[in-house]
Amino acid sequence: MLFVAPSFAAWNGTSMEEPGVQEIDGKDFYLIENESQLAWFANETNKGGKLDINAKLAADLDMNHKLWTPMAAGKGDVAFEGIIDGDNHVISNLYINSDEIAQIKSTYAQNLGFVGVLGNGSVKNIVFENVDIVTSTNAGSIVTNKTSQISVGAVVGWLADKTPGGVVSTCYVSGNITATGNGQGVGGIVGNAKNGTIENCMSAVSISATGNDAFIGGIVGISKASLTVKTCVYDGEGLSNMGNGSTGAIVGNHLSGTLTSAQNYYDDDALLGTGKGTAAADVHKMDEVNVAEVACKLNNGTLTDGVCDKDSPWSVGEKSLALNGYGAATISVLTVKVTRYGAVTITEYPDKTVAEIDGEYTGSDVTEMSNVHADQVVLNRKFEVGKTSTIMLPFSIDTAKVKGAQFYRFKRIDIVNDQHKVIIGKVKTLQIGANTPYIVMPKASEITFEGDVTFDTGIKPSEVLIYENWEFKGTFAYKQFAEDPELGEKYGFAGQTQNGAKVGQFVKLGAATANPFRAYLIQHQVALTKSVSGSFNSAIWTITNEIDVEIVDENDNVIQTGTLNTATGEFRMDRWFDMNGRKLNVKPTTRGTYYCNGKRVIIK
């Protein structure tokens, strides 16, 4: 089989990278510049148990709808005590699923959100765009009763019993939360809150819950002990509760303690400001919240002749209230356009266009694109470091902008001692050509791309890779070779261990398959040679059952080689070579320069 698969500039769900540290106002902050760094930070609060560390976002992040494990996850015995400052950046496509999280650790399903449990820490200045949270009280090892529900919130699951308490401020959330089972506190911002403050937050979240003793709030599901909610707005599509619990636009259930409420607003889609318990004070139901009067009051300002003397952080937006410039008009989930071209999905956001190449695509349709621009490319395909594979990209890109791989090109077929050898060499140009097949040596499990590109599967490849009756070609669609109409034998690099061949070995293809944007070598039963007119002439050719593969450097020196018996699948890698490309049976003891597994080695 041809090589199997990876990924991206958006998060792949597993990668982690330690960020750098910057001192801000006398405190050390991890400076989060990409999704892998945010995942590392979250992991430190769980696996590392570091609960008082701080983070500041330095870029917008796309979590790519991959499973997110909450920070400070668990039953509430630990709580996050640091600072997370979004600096008005966007975290998009955050995905949380209690069933999947419980497989990591059963107790992690109790408190669910960007932060599972917040103590005396703070989360501020973040836009959470297009959250998707799915929870069930059947997941993991959790407590479910009227006073100890599971807690589900987009920003924080459980605002814990700490003094003075945690703070969630200036956060904007859009998306969906779906909860099933008995005993839940579900909020658009915070699920279940005991001590702390929620201020200057807007929820545009749609929430749906089934099961008894489930309490839903547009801002907070359940309030206890000492909670302050002020200058917050609920303006979502709707709150649906199918059980015997209660629903409130601001608070689902004021269960106990003191609830301090000031200048909170909601539109008339929700019936009550507080679903159950003592009604929160200073909560206003409006026919329209996106008006200057509401924005000014949220800013604690005075409106005179339609002009407010305070214009921050709230303002009137194009379609809804804007918080520090973020309103419904800038939330891409409301304006996103998705177009699929076979194995490629193009997602158009208001501020960027993202292209995702599905390296595991098995659909029957061919990927056909013409002049499609993308600001960011994500390759959803996993590689094994050092294991040879193939790739063909539907766009041209500078080699300096491709990270995680060394590219090689098919050069020729040599015949030595009546045996065929496939000769490949490093790409010498500064650009990878569109629709041109390459052999690739992965240096990382993912290949990533920097900058914008233009997809066009219709343009001619940078070179036609034909040598006599051999042709190195790529595919734009999922390919089943057993049904292939082409005559001749096909060869590729194994994507999995099978029939004696290991990953990365060059093998003969039988009833194999190849995913889109791979390449393979075909030995036609007739030689392909160009005539003067440019058409192909034919000559009879004998099929071979044994093939050698050699990688050569710029000077045609062999740096890696192997021999394959295509009938038995047996493959032997030769490891050591001298500078003339002659293979050595053992590691050399004589001083000099040699090649070992593709690397130059000096024996002293």
Side-chain angles (χ1 to χ4, degrees):
M1 293 181 65
L2 297 189
F3 191 69
V4 189
S7 189
F8 269 77
W11 191 44
N12 66 1
T14 58
S15 61
M16 296 184 188
E17 174 188 339
E18 183 173 356
V21 177
Q22 177 179 337
E23 183 176 329
I24 302 174
D25 295 331
K27 294 183 178 181
D28 286 338
F29 280 75
Y30 286 101
L31 200 62
I32 308 297
E33 298 179 305
N34 59 49
E35 298 82 359
S36 298
Q37 292 177 352
L38 184 65
W40 178 92
F41 183 88
N43 189 58
E44 288 295 290
T45 68
N46 290 316
K47 182 179 179 180
K50 298 178 181 178
L51 300 168
D52 59 351
I53 54 178
N54 306 310
K56 185 173 184 177
L57 301 191
D60 294 344
L61 307 178
D62 183 357
M63 306 315 294
N64 196 32
H65 205 260
K66 302 298 183 182
L67 183 66
W68 174 258
T69 301
M71 300 182 193
K75 289 190 174 183
D77 50 337
V78 297
F80 182 71
E81 306 287 344
I83 300 170
I84 303 174
D85 184 358
D87 198 25
N88 296 326
H89 284 293
V90 178
I91 296 177
S92 61
N93 301 315
L94 186 74
Y95 170 64
I96 299 172
N97 187 304
S98 63
D99 288 336
E100 296 177 36
I101 288 174
Q103 299 303 311
I104 300 173
K105 189 173 182 178
S106 60
T107 56
Y108 283 2
Q110 180 76 40
N111 298 294
L112 300 167
F114 177 65
V115 176
V117 183
L118 181 65
N120 288 321
S122 67
V123 183
K124 59 183 180 180
N125 304 323
I126 305 178
V127 173
F128 292 92
E129 175 186 310
N130 196 24
V131 299
D132 183 10
I133 303 177
V134 181
T135 69
S136 169
T137 54
N138 293 323
S141 174
I142 59 180
V143 179
T144 55
N145 56 56
K146 291 184 179 181
T147 59
S148 187
Q149 293 88 350
I150 70 169
S151 305
V152 186
V155 184
V156 173
W158 165 236
L159 192 53
D161 187 11
K162 300 287 185 177
T163 303
V167 176
V168 180
S169 64
T170 321
C171 289
Y172 196 144
V173 182
S174 72
N176 297 278
I177 300 176
T178 303
T180 60
N182 299 332
Q184 302 190 63
V186 186
I189 304 296
V190 175
N192 202 332
K194 200 154 190 180
N195 285 330
T197 300
I198 306 169
E199 61 182 346
N200 280 335
C201 289
M202 180 166 178
S203 167
V205 179
S206 296
I207 303 176
S208 175
T210 59
N212 292 328
D213 299 319
F215 301 99
I216 297 176
I219 302 298
V220 58
I222 300 173
S223 68
K224 306 172 183 176
S226 179
L227 176 68
T228 296
V229 181
K230 60 182 180 181
T231 54
C232 289
V233 176
Y234 176 71
D235 192 16
E237 292 297 317
L239 306 171
S240 174
N241 195 336
M242 303 301 291
N244 65 357
S246 59
T247 303
I250 304 299
V251 179
N253 181 11
H254 176 202
L255 183 65
S256 61
T258 302
L259 172 61
T260 301
S261 171
Q263 294 178 215
N264 297 302
Y265 292 84
Y266 67 100
D267 66 13
D268 60 5
D269 291 336
L271 298 178
L272 298 172
T274 304
K276 185 177 180 180
T278 304
D282 204 3
V283 174
H284 306 276
K285 177 179 178 179
M286 306 289 291
D287 292 334
E288 173 62 63
V289 295
N290 186 31
V291 293
E293 175 190 359
V294 173
C296 190
K297 287 183 177 180
L298 288 169
N299 291 333
N300 293 311
T302 301
L303 189 68
T304 304
D305 296 329
V307 178
C308 187
D309 59 355
K310 293 183 180 180
D311 57 6
S312 179
W314 295 91
S315 61
V316 176
E318 182 178 341
K319 295 182 179 180
S320 78
L321 281 173
L323 183 58
N324 277 345
Y326 289 99
T330 63
I331 299 296
S332 66
V333 68
L334 301 179
T335 57
V336 67
K337 179 182 178 182
V338 178
T339 307
R340 290 180 173 83
Y341 302 88
V344 178
T345 299
I346 300 293
T347 305
E348 298 177 62
Y349 299 98
D351 59 339
K352 63 180 179 180
T353 298
V354 178
E356 179 177 355
I357 302 174
D358 184 359
E360 307 297 336
Y361 189 74
T362 57
S364 60
D365 48 332
V366 177
T367 303
E368 295 180 335
M369 308 173 69
S370 178
N371 198 31
V372 178
H373 177 268
D375 301 295
Q376 177 184 341
V377 176
V378 172
L379 175 59
N380 182 21
R381 179 179 167 190
K382 283 292 184 184
F383 294 90
E384 287 194 40
V385 177
K387 300 297 185 181
T388 314
S389 185
T390 60
I391 196 169
M392 183 176 68
L393 301 172
F395 53 82
S396 298
I397 188 170
D398 292 344
T399 53
K401 295 182 178 181
V402 184
K403 307 299 180 183
Q406 174 67 55
F407 287 83
Y408 296 86
R409 59 180 293 274
F410 171 71
K411 297 184 67 174
R412 66 185 185 273
I413 299 291
D414 285 350
I415 301 178
V416 180
N417 297 326
D418 295 324
Q419 291 189 7
H420 291 77
K421 285 186 178 181
V422 179
I423 309 299
I424 61 177
K426 288 184 178 180
V427 172
K428 297 180 180 180
T429 62
L430 299 178
Q431 190 175 70
I432 300 300
N435 311 324
T436 304
Y438 293 95
I439 297 159
V440 62
M441 181 68 74
K443 296 181 179 180
S445 62
E446 303 169 11
I447 296 179
T448 58
F449 308 91
E450 298 177 352
D452 60 331
V453 300
T454 299
F455 285 71
D456 196 332
T457 57
I459 65 175
K460 293 182 179 180
S462 57
E463 56 181 329
V464 178
L465 303 175
I466 294 175
Y467 186 82
E468 294 179 336
N469 75 318
W470 295 86
E471 182 180 7
F472 189 52
K473 62 188 302 184
T475 177
F476 290 137
Y478 177 71
K479 195 172 187 66
Q480 295 177 302
F481 288 94
E483 302 174 359
D484 189 80
E486 295 176 292
L487 299 177
E489 302 294 336
K490 282 77 63 178
Y491 301 86
F493 291 91
Q496 64 183 29
T497 300
Q498 183 174 321
N499 299 330
K502 297 180 180 180
V503 172
Q505 292 181 346
F506 191 71
V507 297
K508 183 178 180 180
L509 301 173
T513 59
N515 293 87
F517 304 111
R518 309 294 207 279
Y520 59 96
L521 184 66
I522 181 170
Q523 184 187 24
H524 296 276
Q525 290 184 357
V526 294
L528 299 180
T529 56
K530 283 190 176 181
S531 66
V532 176
S533 63
S535 61
F536 289 113
N537 296 324
S538 64
I540 301 300
W541 189 264
T542 302
I543 302 300
T544 182
N545 281 324
E546 189 170 81
I547 289 188
D548 288 345
V549 181
E550 289 187 350
I551 301 176
V552 299
D553 63 12
E554 297 84 354
N555 300 315
D556 230 27
N557 295 316
V558 178
I559 60 176
Q560 189 169 345
T561 189
T563 301
L564 170 78
N565 183 316
T566 59
T568 65
E570 181 182 353
F571 192 94
R572 184 181 74 254
M573 286 297 296
D574 300 312
R575 299 174 180 272
W576 286 92
F577 303 87
D578 63 19
M579 294 299 291
N580 294 319
R582 293 173 297 198
K583 61 186 177 183
L584 307 175
N585 293 326
V586 295
K587 179 179 179 180
T589 56
T590 304
R591 293 181 180 180
T593 302
Y594 302 86
Y595 283 107
C596 179
N597 287 339
K599 296 182 180 179
R600 193 185 298 266
V601 178
I602 299 176
I603 302 295
K604 299 181 179 180

